[in-house]
Amino acid sequence: MSEDEDEGLTYSEAGVDLEASEAATAALVGAAGEFEGDYAGLVDLGEQYLALATDGVGTKLLVAEAIGDYSTIGIDCLAMNVNDLVAQGVEPVAFVDYLAVEEPDDEMAEAIGEGLRRGAEEAGVALVGGETAVLPDVIKGFDIAGACAGLAPKEAVFDGEAEVGDALVGWPSSGIHSNGLTLAREAVTRENEYTDPFPPNPDRSIGEELLEPTRLYTHLLGPLREAGVSGAAHITGGGWTNLTRLGEHRYEITDPFDAQPVFEFVQREGNVDDEEMHRTFNMGTGFVAALPESDAETLADETDGRVIGRVTESDDNGSVGVRGLTLS
């Protein structure tokens, strides 16, 4: 291992500066104008909202391309969008995708389309078409993004604000999902190939483990509404700091779900410290909701969740306490 590889890897060193990314997003939003909604933009239709969300799959695409397996990418693209609508308290209704390629590839397109279909069936969302663009002067390889539309009565939309004293109920992730892959890829390829066996489960390759598709949380929407959830967080880019989007409180996580073996593998291979891991990845918990403590156990019991912590007062602009770390 070289001297550079001996040093702990960070997301920024791998190629993604979160602070710069957030600043650029803020600049775009500032120039375009403010809009209502957090995880999705909300359009006032009178008695209900039309919600729109858009997202892609990021550099997870490069793993798919490296091992020639495009069967899960469509699920990821759809899941990243519908999960954001669920976090807003909105029922996803319809999805449209945009596939940009360097050159046409029928087999790849068919595999991606099959993944979209599977994801849409599980989420109960209609696929209403899409666009494929051949852009050899712009795209090297391919990219896919999508947009999801949803509807909700105004009173059903989560206000997005946790209250001091609320309990936090969490649900497990399926693995890395579709965030932090730039760091994960850099870490695992220091001394491995994507086609190498994944040490905790040699029946799968490292690439297959990284491509485990994003879990869908659409089945939670009904129970979340019935339980009187005030706000929810989809644990995506920024990792556990997503909880601070629910207000400037202290989020004490006392019983998170165990991180899957892929996280330990990424951390070890990249010598990534604990704080960087929790700022980048979901670390085993993919979705969190805040609600009154009296209703939390019932919600957890009716779903596949559990009470993972509570909301307390904060002396700063909001922080998360998890596994001995403080993130803000």
Side-chain angles (χ1 to χ4, degrees), residues 66-288:
I67 67 172
D69 181 358
Y70 306 100
S71 62
T72 61
I73 292 301
I75 299 174
D76 285 303
C77 188
L78 187 136
M80 294 301 289
N81 284 278
V82 301
N83 288 345
D84 275 357
L85 290 188
V86 174
Q88 193 78 56
V90 174
E91 181 180 2
V93 174
F95 183 82
V96 61
D97 69 280
Y98 176 79
L99 175 64
V101 299
E102 183 178 4
E103 57 184 35
D105 185 329
D106 292 349
E107 290 186 5
M108 178 185 73
E110 182 178 359
I112 292 173
E114 177 63 18
L116 287 169
R117 183 192 63 78
R118 288 164 52 202
E121 286 182 354
E122 182 178 342
V125 173
L127 293 178
V128 291
E131 174 72 10
T132 299
V134 180
L135 305 170
D137 294 329
V138 178
I139 294 290
K140 299 302 179 186
F142 75 107
D143 191 19
I144 185 170
C148 192
L151 291 170
K154 285 186 173 179
E155 66 274 12
V157 173
F158 303 147
D159 63 22
E161 290 289 331
E163 300 288 340
V164 172
D166 278 353
L168 297 170
V169 176
W171 290 269
S173 68
S174 57
I176 282 185
H177 286 182
S178 297
N179 293 101
L181 267 295
T182 298
L183 175 56
R185 290 187 303 103
E186 178 72 17
V188 303
T189 57
R190 279 182 162 187
E191 295 187 349
N192 305 281
E193 302 290 337
Y194 291 127
T195 52
D196 290 343
F198 178 57
N201 181 8
D203 290 337
R204 303 188 80 185
S205 70
I206 293 171
E208 288 173 328
E209 190 67 24
L210 292 177
L211 289 178
E212 183 67 30
T214 304
R215 189 178 185 196
L216 288 154
Y217 297 103
T218 46
H219 67 289
L220 295 177
L221 184 57
L224 292 176
R225 287 176 171 175
E226 291 176 7
V229 164
S230 57
H234 182 200
I235 310 302
T236 57
W240 279 91
T241 62
N242 276 277
L243 290 182
T244 62
R245 298 170 71 168
L246 297 175
E248 296 180 352
H249 308 298
R250 173 76 172 181
Y251 300 88
E252 290 287 356
I253 308 302
T254 54
D255 191 21
F257 287 93
D258 292 340
Q260 290 88 351
V262 67
F263 294 109
E264 181 181 352
F265 181 65
V266 167
Q267 183 169 22
R268 183 179 69 248
E269 295 301 302
N271 191 25
V272 185
D273 68 35
D274 288 342
E275 184 171 334
E276 189 73 9
M277 291 295 293
H278 286 77
R279 285 186 180 278
T280 304
F281 302 110
N282 65 65
M283 298 301 290
T285 304
F287 200 90
V288 178

Side-chain angles (χ1 to χ4, degrees), residues 287-307:
F287 200 90
V288 178
L291 71 161
E293 191 169 11
S294 58
D295 300 312
E297 289 289 355
T298 299
L299 174 62
D301 290 344
E302 289 178 350
T303 60
D304 56 344
R306 73 174 180 227
V307 177

Side-chain angles (χ1 to χ4, degrees), residues 20-32:
S21 176
E22 290 171 358
T25 300
L28 174 61
V29 171

